[in-house]
Amino acid sequence: MIVRRLMVVVVLATTIACGERSEPEPALEPEPEPIAENGGTPSVARWAEVRAAGDRALLEAPARVVAGPGAMARVAAPFSARVLEVRVAPGDSVREGDVLLEASMPEVLDAAAIWVAGGRRLALREARQGELEALREEGLVEQGRVFEQAASLADLSAERARALAILRAAGVSAGRAAGVLSRGSVPIVSPIDGVVSRVDARIGEVRDPAGEPLVEVIGSAPVRIEARLSRVMPEGTTSTFVPAIGAPVPLRDEPDASAIDPADGTRLYWISPRETTTLADGLRGTLEVHVAREGVLQVPAGAIGHDDEGAFVMVRGAAEPVRVRVRVLATDAGIAIVEPIEPGALATGAQVADDPAALLRAPAGDDH
């Protein structure tokens, strides 16, 4: 009787349990597929997809604008000067030779006086020299007097030459010396075409030639971008200068020049913009070098293996992985930009082992 009751309880418990809905078990993630190398025992590897390089920069390097000779002019007084008149203001457009300001320069005015007055004296002494030469030939004048006149003439010529040097240093031609002397002021002119960016001159102040520039003019002469790279710039690339302020500037494909800095072994490149542009001298930014040819791909940096023959990736094959030789163009943030040595040996969509070294080290008999 007791045995029969126990059997009924067991049957009821089983019926109730079968009537309840059981929760489904969570699906297990598929394990990495075992692969084999050279007939060895399979080992575990993870695969990553090969992608196009896209717009990722191969290289990034610090760069700055190097202005050409006419891209910037800092105009200062060549001699000690007192400002008499300021004729420009920031934002004014000027042409080469336009007067920026008028200044009194005693040294230049003195030189102008010597040049103008010395010209008259020189003409008289040259005439007198001719007369003495004629009289000496007739025996009416001693040779000593002729020599003294010649020496005096040479001294006067040397004095005028020094005066002319001062005038030219002040930007005054010999033909304008008389006008400068009559006005009592020296014009300071713009050496280039451009726009006045800064004026630091006050009427009446005295400025020393070693002081700050009186006027700054920004011109439109060609500029170059100077960049410092740790290695040779790859062929078949395009470059862009990204300034700290302003829009990116596309650069020419070929650098204008390059040199190795002997101090640290880095390479200096000078590259011109594709189109004429106005950039401030010394403006800093970044040089970005991009791919300009097909066949350049992107893989994880860890997928690059190395042996005696160079870099390679292990590509997933139908039967076993295939070793494909590549040229590494750049690595950045866990990504490698590569190009297959043999064209077409690697393409987008292929799968490469993310750790080829571990794959090749897998010992025979390893079943994991």
Side-chain angles (χ1 to χ4, degrees):
M1 190 68 178
I2 295 174
V3 173
R4 185 178 298 173
R5 289 179 180 178
L6 289 174
M7 291 179 64
V8 171
V9 172
V10 171
V11 170
L12 289 175
T14 303
T15 302
I16 293 173
C18 292
E20 293 180 355
R21 180 176 297 176
S22 61
E23 294 294 332
E25 295 183 1
L28 297 177
E29 296 183 0
E31 296 182 353
E33 181 180 342
I35 61 177
E37 173 71 11
N38 298 329
T41 304
S43 62
V44 175
R46 296 184 183 275
W47 301 99
E49 185 177 350
V50 177
R51 300 179 181 179
D55 295 332
R56 180 181 292 272
L58 293 180
L59 292 172
E60 291 187 357
R64 67 186 182 97
V65 175
V66 180
M72 169 70 75
R74 294 182 174 92
V75 183
F79 300 93
S80 180
R82 181 167 59 89
V83 179
L84 300 178
E85 181 184 0
V86 180
R87 296 191 181 181
V88 294
D92 290 348
S93 296
V94 294
R95 304 287 293 179
E96 181 182 354
D98 287 352
V99 178
L100 303 176
L101 52 87
E102 292 275 351
S104 175
M105 302 182 195
E107 191 172 354
V108 178
L109 294 176
D110 184 57
I114 293 173
W115 176 260
V116 173
R120 304 189 188 101
R121 294 166 57 197
L122 186 62
L124 293 173
R125 293 192 180 185
E126 286 176 345
R128 180 58 176 166
Q129 179 72 16
E131 293 176 357
L132 292 175
E133 287 286 351
L135 292 173
R136 184 189 63 79
E137 291 179 359
E138 296 178 3
L140 300 176
V141 174
E142 296 179 356
Q143 180 65 33
R145 290 189 60 186
V146 177
F147 178 79
E148 289 176 359
Q149 184 65 25
S152 176
L153 187 61
D155 290 341
L156 181 57
S157 297
E159 186 179 12
R160 292 195 77 218
R162 287 192 295 270
L164 182 59
I166 294 175
L167 291 173
R168 288 178 174 173
V172 178
S173 64
R176 294 169 55 194
V180 167
L181 186 62
S182 63
R183 290 196 316 271
S185 65
V186 179
I188 297 179
V189 302
S190 175
I192 63 171
D193 298 344
V195 178
V196 176
S197 61
R198 181 170 177 263
V199 177
D200 183 19
R202 301 293 182 270
I203 295 176
E205 70 174 337
V206 177
R207 299 293 290 268
D208 188 81
E212 292 294 322
L214 297 168
V215 180
E216 292 185 0
V217 181
I218 296 178
S220 57
V223 299
R224 286 175 176 168
I225 306 302
E226 180 185 271
R228 184 181 295 272
L229 279 66
S230 59
R231 61 188 180 90
V232 177
M233 184 179 294
E235 297 181 357
T237 58
T238 61
S239 55
T240 302
F241 175 63
V242 183
I245 300 175
V249 180
L251 305 179
R252 295 178 182 174
D253 293 338
E254 296 294 330
D256 297 296
S258 65
I260 297 178
D261 189 341
D264 55 12
T266 57
R267 293 180 177 269
L268 289 171
Y269 286 90
W270 291 272
I271 314 172
S272 297
R274 287 184 179 273
E275 300 179 358
T276 301
T277 183
T278 301
L279 296 171
D281 185 25
L283 177 63
R284 296 189 176 275
T286 302
L287 177 75
E288 293 186 354
V289 181
H290 297 265
V291 178
R293 61 180 184 270
E294 297 181 357
V296 178
L297 304 168
Q298 170 183 316
V299 299
I304 305 298
H306 295 275
D307 58 17
D308 294 340
E309 298 182 20
F312 65 89
V313 293
M314 297 299 296
V315 181
R316 190 174 191 177
E320 60 181 17
V322 178
R323 189 181 310 219
V324 175
R325 297 286 172 186
V326 296
R327 182 184 299 108
V328 180
L329 302 180
T331 56
D332 178 46
I335 298 296
I337 307 299
V338 301
E339 182 179 34
I341 300 296
E342 181 181 347
L346 187 65
T348 57
Q351 291 185 324
V352 294
D354 66 352
D355 190 355
L359 175 63
L360 297 175
R361 286 196 308 267
D366 185 359
D367 296 328
H368 299 290

Coordinates of all heavy atoms in Angstrom, one line a residue, residues 48-53 294-300 313-316 322 324-326 338-352:
A48 N 40.8 39.0 -39.1 CA 40.3 40.4 -39.3 C 40.2 40.6 -40.8 O 40.9 40.1 -41.6 CB 41.3 41.3 -38.7
E49 N 39.2 41.5 -41.1 CA 38.9 41.8 -42.5 C 39.9 42.9 -43.1 O 40.1 43.8 -42.4 CB 37.5 42.2 -42.7 CG 37.1 42.4 -44.2 CD 35.6 42.7 -44.3 OE1 34.9 42.6 -43.3 OE2 35.2 43.1 -45.4
V50 N 40.3 42.6 -44.3 CA 41.2 43.7 -45.0 C 40.2 44.7 -45.5 O 39.2 44.4 -46.2 CB 42.0 43.0 -46.1 CG1 42.8 44.1 -46.8 CG2 42.9 42.0 -45.5
R51 N 40.6 46.0 -45.3 CA 39.8 47.1 -45.8 C 40.6 48.1 -46.6 O 41.8 48.1 -46.6 CB 39.2 47.9 -44.6 CG 38.3 47.0 -43.7 CD 37.7 47.8 -42.5 NE 36.9 47.0 -41.7 CZ 36.3 47.4 -40.6 NH1 36.5 48.7 -40.2 NH2 35.6 46.6 -39.8
A52 N 39.9 48.9 -47.4 CA 40.5 49.9 -48.2 C 41.1 51.0 -47.2 O 40.6 51.2 -46.1 CB 39.6 50.6 -49.1
A53 N 42.2 51.6 -47.6 CA 42.9 52.6 -46.7 C 42.0 53.8 -46.5 O 42.1 54.5 -45.5 CB 44.2 53.0 -47.3
E294 N 46.0 53.2 -56.1 CA 45.2 52.1 -55.8 C 46.0 51.0 -55.2 O 47.3 50.9 -55.4 CB 44.4 51.6 -57.1 CG 43.5 52.6 -57.6 CD 42.7 52.1 -58.8 OE1 43.1 51.0 -59.2 OE2 41.9 52.8 -59.4
G295 N 45.4 50.0 -54.6 CA 46.1 48.8 -54.1 C 46.6 49.0 -52.6 O 47.2 48.1 -52.1
V296 N 46.4 50.2 -52.0 CA 46.8 50.4 -50.6 C 45.7 50.0 -49.7 O 44.6 50.5 -49.9 CB 47.3 51.8 -50.4 CG1 47.7 52.1 -49.0 CG2 48.4 52.2 -51.4
L297 N 46.0 49.2 -48.7 CA 45.0 48.6 -47.9 C 45.2 48.8 -46.4 O 46.3 49.3 -46.0 CB 44.9 47.1 -48.1 CG 44.7 46.7 -49.6 CD1 44.9 45.2 -49.8 CD2 43.3 47.0 -50.0
Q298 N 44.2 48.5 -45.6 CA 44.3 48.7 -44.1 C 44.1 47.4 -43.4 O 43.1 46.7 -43.7 CB 43.2 49.8 -43.7 CG 43.1 49.9 -42.3 CD 41.9 50.9 -42.0 OE1 41.8 52.0 -42.6 NE2 41.1 50.6 -41.0
V299 N 45.0 47.1 -42.5 CA 44.9 45.9 -41.7 C 45.2 46.2 -40.2 O 45.8 47.3 -40.0 CB 45.8 44.7 -42.2 CG1 45.4 44.4 -43.6 CG2 47.2 45.1 -42.1
P300 N 44.9 45.4 -39.3 CA 45.3 45.6 -37.9 C 46.8 45.6 -37.8 O 47.5 44.8 -38.5 CB 44.7 44.5 -37.1 CG 43.5 44.0 -37.9 CD 43.9 44.2 -39.3
V313 N 51.6 39.1 -44.1 CA 50.4 38.8 -43.4 C 50.0 37.4 -43.7 O 50.4 36.9 -44.8 CB 49.3 39.8 -43.8 CG1 49.6 41.2 -43.3 CG2 49.0 39.8 -45.3
M314 N 49.3 36.8 -42.8 CA 48.8 35.4 -43.1 C 47.3 35.5 -43.5 O 46.5 36.0 -42.7 CB 48.9 34.6 -41.8 CG 50.3 34.4 -41.3 SD 51.4 33.5 -42.5 CE 50.6 31.9 -42.6
V315 N 47.1 35.2 -44.8 CA 45.7 35.3 -45.3 C 45.0 34.0 -45.2 O 45.5 32.9 -45.5 CB 45.8 35.8 -46.8 CG1 44.4 35.9 -47.4 CG2 46.6 37.1 -46.9
R316 N 43.8 34.0 -44.8 CA 42.9 32.8 -44.7 C 42.7 32.2 -46.0 O 42.2 32.9 -47.0 CB 41.6 33.2 -44.0 CG 40.8 32.0 -43.6 CD 39.6 32.5 -42.8 NE 38.9 31.4 -42.1 CZ 37.8 31.6 -41.3 NH1 37.4 32.8 -41.1 NH2 37.3 30.5 -40.8
V322 N 47.8 31.5 -46.2 CA 48.8 31.8 -47.2 C 49.6 33.0 -46.7 O 49.0 34.0 -46.3 CB 48.1 32.1 -48.5 CG1 49.1 32.5 -49.6 CG2 47.3 30.9 -49.0
V324 N 51.5 36.3 -47.4 CA 51.5 37.3 -48.5 C 52.5 38.4 -48.0 O 52.3 39.0 -47.0 CB 50.1 37.9 -48.7 CG1 50.2 39.0 -49.7 CG2 49.2 36.8 -49.2
R325 N 53.4 38.7 -48.9 CA 54.4 39.7 -48.6 C 53.8 41.1 -48.8 O 53.1 41.3 -49.8 CB 55.6 39.6 -49.5 CG 56.4 38.3 -49.3 CD 57.1 38.3 -48.0 NE 57.7 37.0 -47.7 CZ 58.3 36.8 -46.5 NH1 58.5 37.7 -45.6 NH2 58.8 35.6 -46.3
V326 N 54.0 42.0 -47.9 CA 53.5 43.4 -48.0 C 54.6 44.4 -47.7 O 55.6 44.1 -47.0 CB 52.3 43.6 -47.0 CG1 51.1 42.7 -47.3 CG2 52.7 43.4 -45.5
V338 N 49.2 49.1 -45.7 CA 50.1 48.2 -46.4 C 49.8 48.2 -47.9 O 48.7 48.6 -48.3 CB 50.0 46.8 -45.8 CG1 50.4 46.8 -44.3 CG2 48.6 46.2 -46.0
E339 N 50.8 47.7 -48.6 CA 50.6 47.5 -50.0 C 51.3 46.1 -50.4 O 52.4 45.9 -50.0 CB 51.3 48.6 -50.8 CG 51.2 48.6 -52.3 CD 51.9 49.7 -52.9 OE1 52.9 50.2 -52.4 OE2 51.4 50.2 -54.0
P340 N 50.6 45.2 -51.0 CA 51.2 43.9 -51.3 C 52.3 44.1 -52.3 O 52.3 44.9 -53.2 CB 50.0 43.2 -52.0 CG 49.0 44.2 -52.4 CD 49.2 45.4 -51.5
I341 N 53.4 43.3 -52.0 CA 54.5 43.4 -52.9 C 54.1 42.9 -54.3 O 54.5 43.5 -55.3 CB 55.7 42.5 -52.4 CG1 56.1 43.0 -51.0 CG2 56.8 42.5 -53.3 CD1 56.7 44.4 -51.0
E342 N 53.4 41.8 -54.4 CA 52.9 41.3 -55.7 C 51.5 41.9 -55.9 O 50.5 41.6 -55.1 CB 52.8 39.8 -55.7 CG 52.3 39.2 -57.0 CD 52.2 37.7 -56.9 OE1 52.8 37.1 -56.0 OE2 51.6 37.1 -57.8
P343 N 51.3 42.7 -56.9 CA 49.9 43.4 -57.1 C 48.8 42.3 -57.2 O 49.0 41.3 -57.9 CB 50.1 44.1 -58.5 CG 51.6 44.3 -58.6 CD 52.2 43.2 -57.9
G344 N 47.7 42.6 -56.5 CA 46.6 41.7 -56.5 C 46.7 40.5 -55.5 O 45.7 39.8 -55.4
A345 N 47.8 40.4 -54.8 CA 47.9 39.3 -53.9 C 47.0 39.5 -52.6 O 46.8 38.5 -51.9 CB 49.4 39.1 -53.5
L346 N 46.6 40.7 -52.4 CA 45.8 41.0 -51.2 C 44.8 42.0 -51.6 O 45.1 43.0 -52.3 CB 46.7 41.5 -50.1 CG 46.0 41.7 -48.7 CD1 45.6 40.4 -48.1 CD2 46.9 42.5 -47.8
A347 N 43.5 41.8 -51.2 CA 42.4 42.6 -51.6 C 41.5 42.9 -50.5 O 41.5 42.2 -49.5 CB 41.7 42.1 -52.8
T348 N 40.6 43.9 -50.6 CA 39.6 44.1 -49.6 C 38.7 42.9 -49.5 O 38.4 42.3 -50.5 CB 38.8 45.4 -50.0 OG1 38.2 45.2 -51.3 CG2 39.7 46.6 -50.0
G349 N 38.2 42.7 -48.3 CA 37.3 41.5 -48.0 C 38.1 40.3 -47.6 O 37.5 39.4 -47.0
A350 N 39.4 40.2 -47.9 CA 40.1 39.0 -47.5 C 40.3 39.1 -45.9 O 40.1 40.1 -45.3 CB 41.5 39.0 -48.1
Q351 N 40.6 37.9 -45.3 CA 40.8 37.9 -43.9 C 42.2 37.5 -43.6 O 42.8 36.6 -44.2 CB 39.8 36.8 -43.3 CG 38.4 37.2 -43.4 CD 37.5 36.3 -42.7 OE1 37.7 35.0 -42.7 NE2 36.4 36.8 -42.0
V352 N 42.8 38.2 -42.6 CA 44.2 38.0 -42.2 C 44.2 37.6 -40.7 O 43.3 38.1 -39.9 CB 45.0 39.2 -42.4 CG1 45.2 39.5 -43.9 CG2 44.5 40.4 -41.7

